Amino acid sequence: MATEVPEARSESDLPIKAVYDASDLDGFDPATQLGEPGQYPYTRGVYPTMYTGKPWTMRQYAGFGTAKESNERYHELVNAGTGGLSVAFDLPTQMGYDSDEAIAHGEVGKVGVAIDSIDDMRTLFGGLPLGELSTSMTINAPASTLLLMYQLVAEENGADASRLAGTIQNDVLKEYIARGTYIYPPKESLRLISDIFAYCAKELPRWNTISISGYHMAEAGATPAQEIAFTLANAKEYVRAAIGAGLDVDEFAPRLSFFFVARTTLLEEVAKFRAARRIWARIMREEFGAKNPKSQMLRFHTQTAGVQLTAQQPEVNLVRVALQGLGAVLGGTQSLHTNSFDEAIALPTQKAARLALRTQQVIAYETDVTKTVDPFAGSYVVEAMTDELEAAALELIQAVEDRGGAVAAIEQGFQKSEIERSAYQVALEIDHGERTVVGVNKYTLDEEEPYEPLRVDPQIEIDQRERLAALRADRDNEAVEAALERLREAARGTDNVLYPMKEALALRATGGEISHALRDVWGLYVPRETF
């Protein structure tokens, strides 16, 4: 009696056939579903030549402990050939607190660099050619504060603000869904984001004003279909907020960018990126009436899947990261960060970070995947998967719309509960051995080799507190408080808050003082209990 083979399922719980053929593309119209590379609906990529002219931007995520230590790491990365920097901030900075506040105790410098004032930002980017680099900052609720500090430092060093290139994540809605580093209520957060859009359109025209992130939802357990659906639903909310604030869609939409994960399930990931581009192009053209082709392009940064890295046999993560990075490239990413193999244990060591960058360089310069655009175009399996993922994502986007849009659905706990359900299912599959994780539930070792992780010195917090005390003793505190009051006044009304915010930061107001000034007016977000 023949053994029955169980049906294979994708990460999005869609069926995967053992064999695909022409019948799986019945009714498939390449002219409308694919188009040409660099042309609507951008399924094949947002640029005509993609990597055949030059590779994607290779970013490495850095930032730990002190600004001085992070600056040293940046110089090493630039010397190693990276063309873009990506900054990690510590938890107090992400939450809008200074290092000397009681709530920050024990967290200063732990998961990223502590940036309390423009003084720290000067140290962080000292000696780096900011006018030539592209800098991505993973910061959300206080994104405006960190962006303005960066602009001030760049201008001090002679850089032309109109030429500064980079991205702030600035995606607060996903914080309510997956991470929790929010400050203000959703309505006020959207007001702040609209002000950032308007400010950058005038002052920093090359800056990507938001990186709408599915990455963190994926790390929390979202499937590929959920990742793109909830990300694009959030994006629609941001577009509506900006239009509601009086901005023309084609003024701000060309600077929108996205941030996705790349998993080891290579085929589905390639299909996911292609489906996301196609959905977004149609949303912008058909729902928002965007006429500028750049408004219709889904440009995105990718980071390899940290959630799939294991503390057991950590060197195996080098293989995982290589596959994840390859999937991102085959899917048409604009920039890529490859995780270090030791990140499941602690902050990456210098050697591990260099190996992660070398992984990208091998893909770019030692393989042939950069020699042709969209290598999987026309593939029976990838085109079928792209169509299936598109349909699944559109169904979820509609479910969000049916609940009143992304903010209303967040307040109802919809996205969070859907992601938690998926994460729980994966955990069960791993526990029951139905899903293989090499080194965890299969091919394990009786004894793991010792590994010495990078550790953060607790002296960092003491030093930051001392720097803050010296800053407050040295600056003009009356001028700072007057500037903070002008910020509060703008927040109470309709003026763009970034202009008084920049003035206060130039006078050496701290990030925490800026956030507290806005808290005074807008309040704090307290999530509704969902159980």
Side-chain angles (χ1 to χ4, degrees), residues 173 176-177 186 229-230 233-234 237 240 396-418 525 528 530:
L173 292 182
Y176 303 114
I177 296 171
F230 296 150
N234 285 350
E237 198 84 359
R240 289 189 187 113
L396 281 168
I397 290 171
Q398 188 58 51
V400 172
E401 293 292 296
D402 291 343
R403 287 163 174 79
V407 170
I410 287 167
E411 291 171 346
Q412 295 166 45
F414 172 66
Q415 300 97 317
K416 190 169 186 290
S417 64
E418 289 292 301
Y525 175 68
R528 189 182 68 176
T530 57

Side-chain angles (χ1 to χ4, degrees), residues 67-68 70-79 82 85 87 121-133 135 150 153-154 157-159 164:
K68 182 176 182 295
S70 297
N71 176 261
E72 291 168 359
R73 175 67 61 88
Y74 288 145
H75 280 278
E76 291 165 3
L77 290 170
V78 170
N79 291 337
T82 189
L85 301 177
V87 189
M121 191 66 85
R122 289 182 181 120
T123 303
L124 181 64
F125 289 107
L128 292 165
L130 299 187
E132 301 170 20
L133 291 171
T135 302
Y150 184 88
V153 170
N157 293 337
L164 290 178

Side-chain angles (χ1 to χ4, degrees), residues 420-432:
E420 287 172 349
R421 189 178 300 113
S422 298
Y424 180 64
Q425 182 61 37
V426 169
L428 285 180
E429 291 172 4
I430 294 172
D431 288 346
H432 295 161

Side-chain angles (χ1 to χ4, degrees), residues 182-238:
Y182 43 72
I183 301 175
Y184 320 111
K187 180 181 177 182
E188 285 72 19
S189 293
L190 288 175
R191 149 80 187 280
L192 181 55
I193 287 168
S194 296
D195 281 359
I196 292 170
F197 287 175
Y199 177 87
C200 289
K202 185 176 181 181
E203 309 291 344
L204 300 167
R206 293 189 63 201
W207 199 270
N208 295 315
T209 50
I210 192 167
S211 178
I212 306 160
S213 175
Y215 181 87
H216 300 94
M217 290 186 273
E219 292 286 280
T223 67
Q226 290 171 340
E227 178 192 355
I228 59 174
F230 296 150
T231 303
L232 299 186
N234 285 350
K236 289 175 68 172
E237 198 84 359
Y238 293 130

Side-chain angles (χ1 to χ4, degrees), residues 2 57 115 157 167 185 216 243 254 308 338 433 435 450 461 490 526:
T57 299
I115 298 294
N157 293 337
T167 304
H216 300 94
I243 291 172
Q308 290 187 320
T338 35
R435 175 187 292 253
E461 182 174 337
V526 179

